[in-house]
Amino acid sequence: MAKEGVKLLDFWASPFCMRAKIALGEKGVAYEGQEEDLFGGKSELLLSSNPIYQKVPVLLHNDKPIVESSNIVTYIDEAWPAPPLMPACAFGRARARFWADFIDKKIFEGGSKIWMSKGEELEVAKNEFIDILKKLEGALGEKDYFNGDTFGFVDIILIGLTSWFFAYEKFGGFKVEDHCPTFSAWIKRCMERESVSKVIPAPESVCECVVMLRKMHGVE
Amino acid sequence: MSDHVVLLDSYPSMFGMRVRIALAEKGIEYEYKEEDLSNKSPLLLKMNPVHKKIPVLIHNGRPVCESLVEVQYIDEVWKDKSPLLPSHPYQRAQARFWADYVDKKIYDAGRKIWTTKGEEQETAKNELIDCLKVLEGELGDKPYFGGESFGFVDIALLPFSTWFYAYETLGNFSIEAECPKLIAWVNRCKEKETVSKSLSDPHKVYEFVLGLRKKLGI
């Protein structure tokens, strides 16, 4: 086990893996990344360290596995307390967990409905997705980050998912910026952070991934 | 400083029961408000505009939503008594993982049992039993999921036991026959007064489910 005993089982296009990488980056924790071939064959290590879901990301800290991306980010925040990713007060933390849960329930599934459907269904999916982003805009308000003045937990939970927006925009025939300019400004602000920009893949590459997924699901 | 705590809830809700148990464990006095989910109160709609769901914990006028978020909030604010989560980050991560597993698996599998028939219902029954067996495995020989002391995962799962009678009656099977250790754990937890006074009556839950089925035309 190299690098402070921290290893991350990863997949380059996974917005959930991006969460873990950004959190580790924010804490300045060095880690060994192991890219998993999700379509070719998952490694023995992945299957044995996450037997229930068999998914990435998996964080291994001194060989002990932590799974589920939001859980991993919370663990990283608690195991390496500085700088804190969560607000100091309990109510602020409850709000952060609430929005992280909202993001987990709505964004990836909402976006998937866009690239998986056509015609009338696609229109509905697109409008629902925009509504979800508007709710998040409401939560962001006038703040620089969802966490307040500083980049934090909710920002980390959300920003990786935005790397898939280019694909949603392409297949949905819309632009997030036209409907949610505040949200788009927040994306740009986060992308200026090194911990974010070095792990977010090029949107065009993610789009190619989505094209492949569409084929696999028999869309068009 | 005196705290004003209100819980917007619905008697049969397993999610509401989680918060009731946590409040009882900490000895917190609160005002319980029963919501009619077919006619939600302006207070509920104001306090949870995003999901419009119960339970909602209102602490000194500020709302906390989503049951596991509420339980964690209760644990953090009233931290001097009965800790619900372990103190070590790795054990905390394990506790959150298993509570999340309960959230992902148990509700949907249970719901399919009382909303379907025939082949679909058989599949749902097997799914529920499989998930409960995984949880039984995680419990092992420990008295509680939290180890020696009752905690977060126990609170996350326990309320579903009040729906077992409904699942068993409508699905014509016995959970105890398949998962005896889990039922032993349920009974152990119910010896705690904080639990027994917070859990709803399984027969009343069953009546509620029958009413829901009628409404849904099942």
Side-chain angles (χ1 to χ4, degrees):
Chain A
M1 175 76 60
K3 295 190 175 171
E4 287 184 49
V6 183
K7 187 170 185 163
L8 182 73
L9 304 185
D10 186 18
F11 180 67
W12 68 272
S14 160
F16 307 102
C17 293
M18 288 174 219
R19 292 171 172 178
K21 287 182 280 193
I22 294 168
L24 289 165
E26 287 289 313
K27 300 287 188 171
V29 174
Y31 65 96
E32 181 193 337
Q34 177 172 304
E35 184 75 12
E36 286 286 330
D37 180 0
L38 298 183
F39 303 104
K42 295 172 181 178
S43 72
E44 269 308 309
L45 183 59
L46 173 55
L47 299 176
S48 63
S49 52
N50 190 0
I52 291 191
Y53 299 121
Q54 302 187 349
K55 285 182 176 180
V56 288
V58 177
L59 184 78
L60 290 144
H61 188 194
N62 297 324
D63 295 322
K64 295 206 282 198
I66 301 106
V67 310
E68 292 299 288
S69 58
S70 300
N71 199 15
I72 292 173
V73 175
T74 303
Y75 174 82
I76 290 168
D77 196 30
E78 293 182 356
W80 294 275
L85 301 177
M86 278 278 210
C89 77
F91 186 72
R93 284 198 295 279
R95 275 186 61 83
R97 289 178 188 129
F98 173 85
W99 286 109
D101 175 71
F102 176 86
I103 290 160
D104 264 348
K105 282 181 165 102
K106 302 281 187 184
I107 299 280
F108 199 69
E109 196 182 298
S112 298
K113 281 190 196 148
I114 293 175
W115 62 256
M116 280 206 238
S117 56
K118 287 187 272 194
E120 189 71 56
E121 247 186 75
L122 173 52
E123 270 311 294
V124 170
K126 186 189 86 184
N127 291 330
E128 271 176 19
F129 190 76
I130 291 167
D131 276 344
I132 289 165
L133 294 188
K134 286 194 163 142
K135 284 203 167 88
L136 286 167
E137 263 192 337
L140 179 63
E142 306 268 315
K143 307 193 293 291
D144 278 350
Y145 301 104
F146 284 89
N147 197 50
D149 292 329
T150 53
F151 183 78
F153 186 72
V154 177
D155 307 283
I156 293 174
I157 294 300
L158 184 54
I159 190 66
L161 288 157
T162 68
S163 66
W164 284 56
F165 284 13
F166 177 72
Y168 305 155
E169 285 170 329
K170 175 180 163 155
F171 292 110
F174 71 109
K175 283 228 163 285
V176 169
E177 188 153 27
D178 293 342
H179 301 271
C180 306
T182 312
F183 192 91
S184 291
W186 166 81
I187 296 176
K188 290 194 180 90
R189 196 174 298 125
C190 290
M191 292 298 289
E192 287 167 12
R193 297 184 76 78
E194 201 197 329
S195 66
V196 175
S197 59
K198 74 178 190 182
V199 310
I200 302 287
E204 293 80 5
S205 311
V206 174
C207 203
E208 274 169 34
C209 203
V210 175
V211 166
M212 190 185 69
L213 282 169
R214 272 166 69 98
K215 271 201 185 95
M216 278 167 66
H217 280 82
V219 186
E220 108 199 320
Chain B
M1 134 133 157
S2 72
D3 288 301
H4 185 233
V5 181
V6 178
L7 179 65
L8 306 183
D9 196 355
S10 168
Y11 182 74
S13 165
M14 55 284 262
F15 306 104
M17 283 177 232
R18 288 169 168 176
V19 186
R20 287 177 234 163
I21 297 171
L23 289 165
E25 281 287 300
K26 301 285 189 177
I28 298 161
E29 290 202 8
Y30 65 99
E31 186 188 338
Y32 180 94
K33 281 196 164 131
E34 180 74 13
E35 282 284 333
D36 174 0
L37 297 182
S38 60
N39 184 24
K40 292 175 181 177
S41 71
L43 181 63
L44 172 56
L45 299 176
K46 181 179 162 196
M47 290 287 141
N48 192 358
V50 174
H51 298 306
K52 304 177 175 52
K53 286 182 175 180
I54 55 91
V56 180
L57 184 77
I58 309 172
H59 182 207
N60 295 332
R62 296 198 298 187
V64 183
C65 308
E66 292 301 299
S67 60
L68 293 180
V69 176
E70 292 166 66
V71 173
Q72 286 178 87
Y73 175 81
I74 289 165
D75 197 36
E76 290 179 7
V77 172
W78 290 275
K79 56 182 183 289
D80 296 328
K81 183 183 175 182
S82 306
L84 303 177
L85 273 150
S87 50
H88 190 277
Y90 184 72
Q91 280 147 17
R92 291 164 67 84
Q94 294 308 296
R96 287 192 305 264
F97 171 82
W98 286 107
D100 177 68
Y101 178 86
V102 172
D103 260 0
K104 277 181 162 79
K105 301 284 191 181
I106 307 296
Y107 181 78
D108 283 341
R111 191 170 202 278
K112 277 185 212 151
I113 293 175
W114 62 263
T115 54
T116 64
K117 289 187 254 203
E119 193 73 58
E120 246 189 289
Q121 195 189 55
E122 273 310 299
T123 308
K125 277 156 61 176
N126 291 332
E127 214 183 291
L128 180 71
I129 293 295
D130 282 346
C131 293
L132 292 179
K133 282 188 166 155
V134 169
L135 287 161
E136 245 192 354
E138 170 54 24
L139 177 66
D141 292 320
K142 305 193 297 291
Y144 303 106
F145 282 92
E148 290 305 311
S149 43
F150 183 79
F152 192 64
V153 181
D154 303 283
I155 293 176
L157 179 58
L158 200 49
F160 285 89
S161 69
T162 63
W163 283 62
F164 285 178
Y165 176 71
Y167 299 154
E168 288 170 319
T169 309
L170 292 165
N172 191 30
F173 70 121
S174 160
I175 291 174
E176 183 159 16
E178 301 281 352
C179 307
K181 274 187 167 175
L182 200 69
I183 299 302
W185 161 79
V186 171
N187 293 330
R188 188 178 308 124
C189 292
K190 277 156 72 170
E191 287 168 17
K192 288 167 65 67
E193 202 207 326
T194 53
V195 168
S196 58
K197 76 176 189 182
S198 307
L199 293 183
S200 299
D201 181 335
H203 289 91
K204 291 197 175 140
V205 168
Y206 176 62
E207 292 300 322
F208 169 75
V209 173
L210 290 181
L212 263 186
R213 275 162 61 101
K214 230 190 214 145
K215 247 193 220 174
L216 296 169
I218 299 167

